[in-house]
Amino acid sequence: MSNKIVLLPGDGIGNEVIYAAKDVLEAISEKYNTEFEFSSYDIGGIALENHGVPLPDETIQACKNADAVLLGAVGDPKWENHPSDLRPERGLLGIRKALDLYANLRPVKGFPKLLHASPLKEEVILGSDLLIVRELTGGLYFGQPSERRDNGNAVVDTLSYTKKEIERIVDKAFQSAQLRNKHLTSVDKANVLESSKLWREIVEEKKSEYPDVTVEHVLVDAAAMKLITNPTQFDVIVTENMFGDILSDEASVLTGSLGMLPSASLAENGVGLYEPAHGSAPDIAGKGIANPIAMILSAAMMLRFSFDKNEEAQAIEDAVEQVLNQDYHTADLKSENGTLVNTVEMTQLIVDAIKQG
């Protein structure tokens, strides 16, 4: 049986990196005799241009009928002054909601050959290997009301969570910690926010179900500081939507580039969506210099989480590390001694490593 994969290239460099991932998956298909069936649909700015909305109904339906979804990136400056419901980013939020993608998993692992690319001291980030588990369908980004008032002179956003929404993301984080080093850090703002007080209460209730996992609570401001000053103290971090959005981007400095960070967004019993952590990067779109590795590693996460193809996923991850160890790099990684390659060249090096592995 073929595995049905919907491609959502989106905007900017999304088109360049998503087809790099497709090339890598085709190499996996050839080597491991597994079939992938690809189809492409619009989301974000390109959907606004072609359909007048950032998330067409046909895109939603195609994703619901797929086995997994690969998404490139959304966003374009030409839409910055449009109403919030007609912004490219609404396509991303909308597909997460439509597929009930409640859990975002973002692994952050420093590759030894790339320690020089981080602005942090190498001795600080050496050995850092963590997983951020972010709640994805609640919080400030979805709470109602969210509106301008008093003729635009006042504004309100609503941070809303139900107990069930918190429980399921906390369970996912505990389960993830059990598969790693059995240490969970719950990040909140319980000294100020009622939502965080409930969050902390639920983590405390849940920890008796996972007695092998050590739990600590850290306020979000302290977590932001420790992520930079002592990242090796973290194993799995679980937090709500906006905190997770900020912390996971902050964690990109550990790897030297957002171009190295994959992510998986998972439903409870449905399709998974996989995307790089970086944005659409319109300033470099079309120049052929984008780093495709985050998208390629996202495809590896898809093989592991949606298709239970661990050997194939590991083959991609090993190929990426092999190419990096050979001192090939894209422009974002700023290596002085290695060989600079473009998007297509980096992709082909990884494809060759898979075929030869």
Side-chain angles (χ1 to χ4, degrees):
M1 292 180 62
S2 63
N3 301 287
K4 296 180 180 179
I5 301 170
V6 164
L7 305 178
L8 304 179
D11 309 316
I13 63 170
N15 265 289
E16 300 165 60
V17 298
I18 204 163
Y19 289 108
K22 182 173 180 285
D23 288 345
V24 167
L25 287 170
E26 287 174 342
I28 289 291
S29 174
E30 181 180 333
K31 181 171 183 177
Y32 290 93
N33 193 30
T34 182
E35 289 188 35
F36 299 116
E37 179 183 332
F38 299 99
S39 57
S40 298
Y41 292 85
D42 290 342
I43 192 172
I46 189 66
L48 282 163
E49 288 188 358
N50 293 338
H51 307 274
V53 293
L55 183 62
D57 289 341
E58 64 182 56
T59 298
I60 296 174
Q61 195 56 51
C63 291
K64 288 183 175 181
N65 293 335
D67 296 314
V69 178
L70 285 179
L71 186 146
V74 299
D76 193 304
K78 72 176 69 175
W79 302 102
E80 283 183 356
N81 295 322
H82 279 237
S84 60
D85 61 329
L86 292 177
R87 294 282 299 272
E89 295 78 10
R90 280 292 159 185
L92 179 57
L93 295 176
I95 196 63
R96 289 172 178 170
K97 199 72 173 180
L99 300 179
D100 195 24
L101 302 173
Y102 77 99
N104 179 255
L105 308 185
R106 188 174 295 187
V108 182
K109 181 178 180 180
F111 290 89
K113 275 289 185 178
L114 298 181
L115 294 181
H116 68 273
S118 173
L120 301 179
K121 294 179 179 178
E122 292 189 11
E123 59 266 28
V124 172
I125 59 176
L126 182 63
S128 56
D129 184 356
L130 57 99
L131 176 70
I132 298 177
V133 180
R134 167 190 169 194
E135 201 289 323
L136 208 55
T137 59
L140 274 174
Y141 296 168
F142 294 100
Q144 294 296 328
S146 177
E147 61 191 21
R148 294 286 183 95
R149 294 178 176 177
D150 189 23
N151 295 318
N153 294 310
V155 64
V156 60
D157 288 305
T158 302
L159 201 171
S160 175
Y161 271 112
T162 65
K163 186 174 183 180
K164 179 183 176 182
E165 287 175 322
I166 300 173
E167 285 178 336
R168 65 179 181 174
I169 194 66
V170 168
D171 276 324
K172 174 61 72 174
F174 271 110
Q175 292 158 10
S176 299
Q178 286 181 317
L179 297 174
R180 289 172 53 94
N181 296 314
K182 298 179 172 59
H183 186 271
L184 179 63
T185 302
S186 177
V187 174
D188 59 36
K189 193 64 177 173
N191 59 334
V192 176
L193 300 176
E194 285 300 319
S195 58
S196 283
K197 292 174 184 177
L198 176 60
W199 183 283
R200 187 171 292 204
E201 290 169 10
I202 290 172
V203 173
E204 282 295 297
E205 291 172 2
K206 284 286 183 180
K207 71 179 185 182
S208 62
E209 300 176 23
Y210 306 91
D212 55 332
V213 176
T214 302
V215 180
E216 66 172 335
H217 300 277
V218 179
L219 296 176
V220 64
D221 41 356
M225 179 185 68
K226 292 178 180 179
L227 195 56
I228 296 299
T229 58
N230 187 19
T232 57
Q233 77 174 78
F234 295 111
D235 179 29
V236 176
I237 296 172
V238 63
T239 191
E240 61 92 55
N241 203 344
M242 186 177 73
F243 295 163
D245 191 3
I246 296 168
L247 291 178
S248 55
D249 277 2
E250 180 192 11
S252 70
V253 302
L254 304 179
T255 65
S257 172
L258 274 170
M260 296 299 300
L261 292 180
S263 75
S265 298
L266 307 176
E268 287 187 272
N269 295 297
V271 63
L273 182 146
Y274 303 85
E275 61 182 311
H278 59 68
S280 60
D283 56 321
I284 63 169
K287 297 181 179 180
I289 61 174
N291 185 347
I293 290 179
M295 187 77 253
I296 290 169
L297 291 175
S298 296
M301 293 186 77
M302 177 194 70
L303 293 177
R304 181 169 282 120
F305 288 105
S306 284
F307 300 140
D308 197 26
K309 294 184 182 296
N310 291 313
E311 182 180 356
E312 292 87 338
Q314 191 64 51
I316 294 177
E317 292 162 355
D318 290 346
V320 168
E321 188 155 11
Q322 178 183 325
V323 170
L324 293 174
N325 286 341
Q326 292 169 344
D327 284 330
Y328 291 103
H329 66 94
T330 45
D332 57 309
L333 299 176
K334 300 182 178 67
S335 174
E336 296 180 359
N337 302 317
T339 302
L340 177 65
V341 294
N342 61 30
T343 308
V344 172
E345 291 167 336
M346 177 61 81
T347 302
Q348 189 59 50
L349 286 164
I350 294 169
V351 166
D352 292 342
I354 289 170
K355 290 181 177 179
Q356 296 164 9

